[in-house]
Amino acid sequence: MANSTNDTLIFEANVYSTVIREILNSACSGNMMSSLLMSVCTVDYMGVGLALPDKNTNVHFKQFLEKYMSKANSKYLAPKMQDIIYAIRCSLVHVFGDSDATKNQNIIPEFFIDRCTNDDHLINAQNGNYEERFRLSIPHFIGEVIAGVHEYFKMEKSNLSGIVSEWGKQLYWSSGAGILGLAACFQCNNLIYKNIHPILTVLGAPNKKAE
């Protein structure tokens, strides 16, 4: 169901409670590939806001990586990295496997969840069979997408009022029994992130930066 609102805070709460919360719920349930798929799609969703009143394209996808997600990981500043992530996005969305997009970037992605350092994330490396792979840490990528969304709403706060009504018409929002009530998301005109999802508690920390 599309939803039109002129209230920027309600729109932001909808993004967190409908989109980001679903990513985290999926990850917490162990469905990491589903969470990854929705994470790359979220970059597309955020591209809508960057493109309005025009249609969003891969240019806006890469712009979100460069301008917002790079606050969490500077690797996204590189145009080549932006091309690779977009190729992975196309492969996940359209065939859920290797595709012409990844072949054109000369990569075979390897997704992992068991390495906890950033050193193994977004790099080309050999696997145990000495085969070249592009490694992407799913937990790191999810965190970087969420950090990018958080940075977007902080940096573009003054610009949102002119686009949220039209943007909200284009996105689907959940409704009905069992859906998180928006009233639980607010206190004194501030978002209560921990009420949306416990993992988001860190976003409510004073002067918290993307990391």
Side-chain angles (χ1 to χ4, degrees):
M1 180 180 73
N3 182 24
S4 178
T5 178
N6 290 314
D7 190 309
T8 58
L9 195 61
I10 288 178
F11 179 84
E12 183 179 356
N14 269 321
V15 170
Y16 277 107
S17 62
T18 302
V19 181
I20 302 302
R21 186 167 175 260
E22 288 297 312
I23 292 172
L24 293 173
N25 281 343
S26 185
C28 289
S29 298
N31 301 314
M32 300 302 291
M33 290 302 291
S34 297
S35 188
L36 174 62
L37 177 58
M38 190 162 186
S39 294
V40 296
C41 288
T42 297
V43 182
D44 271 323
Y45 308 156
M46 299 305 293
V48 174
L50 297 176
L52 283 171
D54 299 320
K55 178 176 168 42
N56 63 309
T57 67
N58 64 331
V59 171
H60 305 98
F61 182 100
K62 295 173 185 179
Q63 183 181 349
F64 186 79
L65 296 176
E66 180 178 3
K67 189 173 182 181
Y68 306 104
M69 286 176 61
S70 67
K71 302 293 183 181
N73 190 331
S74 61
K75 292 179 182 178
Y76 293 114
L77 291 171
K80 178 63 175 178
M81 183 61 68
Q82 296 163 23
D83 290 341
I84 288 173
I85 299 301
Y86 188 73
I88 290 173
R89 168 259 184 216
C90 293
S91 294
L92 284 169
V93 170
H94 297 299
V95 299
F96 206 72
D98 295 331
S99 69
D100 288 343
T102 50
K103 289 176 184 176
N104 289 340
Q105 292 301 319
N106 196 30
I107 61 165
I108 299 176
E110 178 182 83
F111 308 112
F112 60 89
I113 61 174
D114 59 338
R115 301 182 184 92
C116 296
T117 70
N118 197 43
D119 295 340
D120 289 322
H121 178 46
L122 303 181
I123 63 168
N124 283 302
Q126 290 184 340
N127 64 13
N129 295 321
Y130 302 102
E131 299 166 324
E132 190 79 5
R133 295 291 185 265
F134 179 82
R135 291 180 173 173
L136 183 148
S137 164
I138 296 177
H140 276 88
F141 186 77
I142 291 170
E144 289 156 0
V145 169
I146 295 172
V149 171
H150 189 56
E151 285 297 308
Y152 172 87
F153 282 115
K154 285 198 303 181
M155 294 171 65
E156 306 299 336
K157 188 173 183 179
S158 61
N159 301 321
L160 285 173
S161 59
I163 62 172
V164 294
S165 179
E166 186 61 31
W167 193 357
K169 292 176 184 178
Q170 298 186 36
L171 295 178
Y172 292 133
W173 310 112
S174 299
S175 63
I179 301 302
L180 179 69
L182 286 180
C185 301
F186 301 106
Q187 186 177 67
C188 300
N189 289 322
N190 291 311
L191 283 183
I192 308 300
Y193 297 101
K194 67 179 181 180
N195 288 353
I196 299 172
H197 197 282
I199 290 178
L200 295 179
T201 300
V202 65
L203 297 183
N207 302 317
K208 185 66 179 177
K209 297 181 180 180
E211 58 182 32

